Amino acid sequence: MSENILEMKNIVKTFPGVRALDDVNLQVKKGSIHALVGENGAGKSTLMNVLSGIYPYGSYEGDIVYNGEVCKFSQIRDSEALGIVIIHQELALIPYMTIGENMFLGNEQGKSFAIDWSQTYALADKYLKTVGLSESSRTLIRDIGVGKQQLVEIAKALSKNAKLLILDEPTSSLNESDSQALLDLLLQFKKEGMTSIIISHKLNEVAYVADDITIIRDGHTIETLTKGVDEISEDRIIRGMVGREISDRFPKRHGVEIGEVAMEVEHWNVYHPLYREKKVVDDVSIQVRRGEVVGISGLMGAGRTELAMSVFGHSYGANISGTVKLRGKEVRLRTEKEAISHGLAYVTEDRKGNGLILSNPIRVNTTLANLPGVSHGIVIDPDKEYAVSEEYRVKLHTKCTGVEQRIGNLSGGNQQKVLLAKWMFADPDVLILDEPTRGIDVGAKYEIYCIINDLVAAGKSVIMISSELPEVLGMSDRIYVMNEGRIVGEFAQSEATQEGIMGCILRSCNDQ
C-alpha cells in the first residue's frame, strides 16, 4: 500500500487568458506535515482549491488520488465527507454569532427544522478543549482575538472529522506566541496520525513543522525538499520561489526627471474596522516625488491595500492617525471627496467590485470621478460625456465596439484601461495603483505600463502596489517593502533584486 495519503497528478487549471496551474504534481505522505511555498500568484491556493472541490471536477485536468482512490469532487462538501478540510487565510467566521453557532454552521446538529442546541454547544466545547481553548462555545466570535479565532477554525475542521487538514497562511495574522501555539498543535495532530498541508511564507515556521517542502513557481512544481535528506536553506527556497529571469516586458522610461516631493505619509497607523485591537498599518512613513514610480511590495495581508485605502480619504480602517503632506503642506483627507479635491486618486485592486459599474457603459464609467467636468450645474451633458470617454478610448487604445458598450462585456485588460481613464480624467497629481495589472494578459499589461510611463512623464506621481516582483522591479524607481503592516525595507531601483526583496520579507517574518 502506498505511503501517500494524497497524490495530485498532472493538474492543469486555466482561467480566461491565464494558465494558473500547468502540469502540477504533488505527493503527500500519510501522517506528515507538507509545506507549499512560493510567491503570491504561484498557484498554491489554486491547487488547494482544486483539491478541496472549490474548483469542481471538470473545471481542471489531471487526477486527485486520495487514499488510493481517484476522486471527482463536485463541491466542497464532497471533499469534506472524506475528511479533507481547508482553512482559508481569510477566516470565515461571523462576528455576531457564537463560537458554537459558527462551528456548526451548515453542519447543524439535530433533526430537520429543530437544531439541538445542547448537543451543538457540548460538541463545540469538546473540540475547543482539543485545540486548547478554554472559552465557552457560547462566546461571541467578536469577543475573542484573532489568534483564538484561528483555533476556532481548526476546531471547526476537527468537528468535520478532518483527516487531511489544509491551512492557507494560518499564522499571517497571529503574534509570535499564538503562532507557536498553532504550530505545536499541528505537531500534536501529526503524532495522532493527522496529515496537514500548510501554505506559508514564514520559512522559520516551515522549517519547524514541515517534513516535506514543495516549491511552486508560475503554476509549475519546481522541487520537493525532504527534511533529513535535502539541505533546506532559506537561500535555496528563495531561489526556487523567485528564480525566473526578468525579460524585456517593461517599457523603458527616457528623459523623465524626478522632481520635488509630491506626497509624504508620516507615522501612519490604522486599525481593523471590525477587530479594533488588530493593527493593520503600523507607523508607516513613505514619500513619492514628481515624475517617480514608487513600488510597494509585500505578501498578501502585508497591509499595502489598507495603507492605500486609509490614506485615500479614510476609505478603510478605524482609529487612523498620522499626517499626510501634499507639496509640503499638511492636509486633512477625511473623505474620498476631500482626497480627490486635493489631487489624490486610488485605482482599486477590485475593479469589478469597487472600481466600475459593470452594468453601465464605458461612457458613464469614464467620467464617474469627475462629474463636474461633464456637467452644466447639476445636469450632466451627455454630449460632453461622450466626447471625453471617446477621447480616452482612443488615447488608451481600449478595444470595444464603442463607448456605449456595457463595461461588463469587456476583457479584464480593457476594463482596467477604463478604470485608469476614470481617474486620469480627474487629473490627479498622485495616483495610487493597487494591483493595476491583476488578471490581465501580457499584452494588456504592457499597455498599462506604457500608460504609467506617460503619467510620470507628464509630471504625475505614481505609487504602485503589486504582488508580482518582476513588475515591481521592472517599473519602479524606488521600492518600499511591507510586511505585517510595517515598512521592513527600502530599495533604490539599482539595488533591488527579487532575492533581496523576498529575503527582506522573510527575515522580518522570522524576527516576529
Side-chain angles (χ1 to χ4, degrees):
M1 185 175 177
S2 172
E3 66 173 346
N4 296 322
I5 189 173
L6 172 71
E7 294 184 55
M8 301 185 75
K9 300 179 179 180
N10 311 115
I11 302 295
V12 176
K13 174 63 180 172
T14 303
F15 299 100
V18 178
R19 179 164 282 205
L21 299 173
D22 191 355
D23 196 32
V24 170
N25 292 277
L26 178 68
Q27 296 182 338
V28 178
K29 299 182 184 75
K30 188 174 295 186
S32 71
I33 299 177
H34 196 113
L36 285 180
V37 299
E39 287 186 89
N40 292 340
K44 308 181 298 296
S45 296
T46 301
L47 184 64
M48 293 300 97
N49 287 340
V50 167
L51 170 59
S52 61
I54 293 173
Y55 298 139
Y57 179 76
S59 69
Y60 62 88
E61 301 172 31
D63 292 316
I64 298 171
V65 180
Y66 179 69
N67 275 331
E69 300 288 334
V70 176
C71 298
K72 300 179 180 180
F73 302 133
S74 61
Q75 57 183 331
I76 195 167
R77 284 181 179 271
D78 295 342
S79 62
E80 288 184 346
L82 294 181
I84 302 173
V85 183
I86 185 168
I87 300 175
H88 297 281
Q89 182 176 359
E90 298 298 328
L91 302 181
L93 299 172
I94 300 174
Y96 292 95
M97 293 179 70
T98 65
I99 292 174
E101 288 171 326
N102 272 277
M103 283 179 59
F104 289 97
L105 188 62
N107 184 28
E108 287 77 9
Q109 303 301 297
K111 299 178 181 179
S112 298
F113 307 109
I115 296 174
D116 186 335
W117 290 110
S118 296
Q119 182 182 356
T120 297
Y121 287 118
L123 283 173
D125 286 330
K126 169 189 169 184
Y127 289 114
L128 290 178
K129 185 177 180 180
T130 301
V131 300
L133 274 180
S134 59
E135 271 74 13
S136 165
S137 59
R138 298 176 185 271
T139 304
L140 293 178
I141 288 291
R142 60 165 292 183
D143 294 332
I144 62 174
V146 176
K148 291 181 179 180
Q149 289 178 30
Q150 185 74 63
L151 293 177
V152 169
E153 282 280 23
I154 295 176
K156 182 178 178 180
L158 295 180
S159 74
K160 298 175 181 179
N161 195 27
K163 295 180 176 62
L164 173 57
L165 185 62
I166 306 165
L167 303 103
D168 193 348
E169 298 289 354
T171 64
S172 62
S173 301
L174 305 185
N175 60 33
E176 184 176 352
S177 60
D178 286 341
S179 296
Q180 187 64 46
L182 190 148
L183 296 174
D184 288 339
L185 184 61
L186 292 183
L187 290 171
Q188 180 60 39
F189 289 163
K190 174 186 167 182
K191 289 179 182 178
E192 296 168 2
M194 183 183 291
T195 308
S196 300
I197 298 175
I198 179 172
I199 298 173
S200 179
H201 289 287
K202 298 183 179 181
L203 296 191
N204 60 326
E205 295 182 357
V206 167
Y208 179 68
V209 298
D211 299 293
D212 300 282
I213 303 169
T214 295
I215 300 171
I216 297 180
R217 185 176 75 228
D218 292 338
H220 297 271
T221 308
I222 301 303
E223 61 182 337
T224 296
L225 307 176
T226 300
K227 186 177 289 185
V229 177
D230 299 296
E231 179 187 352
I232 299 176
S233 69
E234 186 173 310
D235 286 343
R236 180 174 179 183
I237 295 173
I238 291 174
R239 266 198 311 275
M241 290 167 61
V242 301
R244 60 184 181 270
E245 294 183 4
I246 299 177
S247 60
D248 245 353
R249 291 183 289 124
F250 307 100
K252 303 298 181 185
R253 284 196 296 276
H254 300 289
V256 178
E257 293 187 6
I258 296 177
E260 70 277 7
V261 174
M263 184 176 79
E264 297 173 86
V265 178
E266 298 177 337
H267 304 297
W268 199 254
N269 296 280
V270 183
Y271 287 82
H272 194 285
L274 187 59
Y275 308 113
R276 297 299 182 97
E277 80 284 357
K278 181 181 178 182
K279 201 173 193 180
V280 293
V281 178
D282 187 358
D283 196 33
V284 166
S285 296
I286 64 171
Q287 63 174 226
V288 59
R289 297 177 176 271
R290 287 183 70 252
E292 184 180 36
V293 177
V294 169
I296 302 183
S297 183
L299 306 176
M300 207 70 70
R304 299 165 301 167
T305 294
E306 291 83 353
L307 169 64
M309 291 182 67
S310 59
V311 168
F312 183 67
H314 292 197
S315 53
Y316 174 89
N319 300 327
I320 298 171
S321 63
T323 59
V324 177
K325 294 180 181 177
L326 295 172
R327 296 169 295 280
K329 182 180 178 180
E330 185 174 339
V331 294
R332 294 168 67 88
L333 309 177
R334 299 289 180 150
T335 65
E336 293 93 335
K337 185 177 180 180
E338 287 182 350
I340 294 170
S341 68
H342 280 88
L344 191 62
Y346 171 64
V347 179
T348 175
E349 64 176 337
D350 182 9
R351 59 177 173 264
K352 291 185 177 181
N354 296 324
L356 301 166
I357 303 175
L358 299 183
S359 60
N360 281 359
I362 295 169
R363 168 179 54 81
V364 172
N365 279 277
T366 301
T367 58
L368 276 175
N370 185 18
L371 289 177
V374 292
S375 302
H376 296 298
I378 61 172
V379 180
I380 294 175
D381 182 341
D383 292 334
K384 194 167 186 180
E385 190 178 51
Y386 184 94
V388 167
S389 57
E390 179 66 16
E391 176 188 347
Y392 280 98
R393 181 193 69 79
V394 173
K395 182 184 294 185
L396 303 187
H397 308 289
T398 306
K399 295 177 183 177
C400 58
T401 59
V403 296
E404 296 297 338
Q405 183 175 0
R406 192 170 73 92
I407 201 161
N409 293 331
L410 298 181
S411 69
N414 287 299
Q415 288 179 356
Q416 193 69 21
K417 289 180 184 179
V418 176
L419 183 57
L420 283 169
K422 163 184 156 181
W423 287 109
M424 289 168 68
F425 179 52
D427 195 27
D429 297 314
V430 179
L431 291 93
I432 305 174
L433 310 180
D434 195 348
E435 303 287 1
T437 66
R438 173 174 287 171
I440 63 178
D441 61 59
V442 173
K445 283 185 177 185
Y446 189 88
E447 292 181 319
I448 299 295
Y449 300 148
C450 290
I451 293 168
I452 293 171
N453 285 351
D454 290 343
L455 288 168
V456 293
K460 308 294 184 183
S461 305
V462 171
I463 297 174
M464 185 179 72
I465 298 169
S466 177
S467 297
E468 297 185 28
L469 281 175
E471 181 171 86
V472 172
L473 292 167
M475 290 299 298
S476 303
D477 298 297
R478 194 160 45 86
I479 300 168
Y480 289 106
V481 183
M482 282 191 75
N483 191 45
E484 298 183 351
R486 297 176 292 110
I487 299 293
V488 296
E490 181 181 351
F491 294 88
Q493 184 187 49
S494 59
E495 303 169 339
T497 63
Q498 294 189 44
E499 289 82 1
I501 291 173
M502 285 302 299
C504 185
I505 294 170
L506 295 168
R507 281 191 294 274
S508 72
C509 289
N510 295 341
D511 291 339
Q512 295 302 304

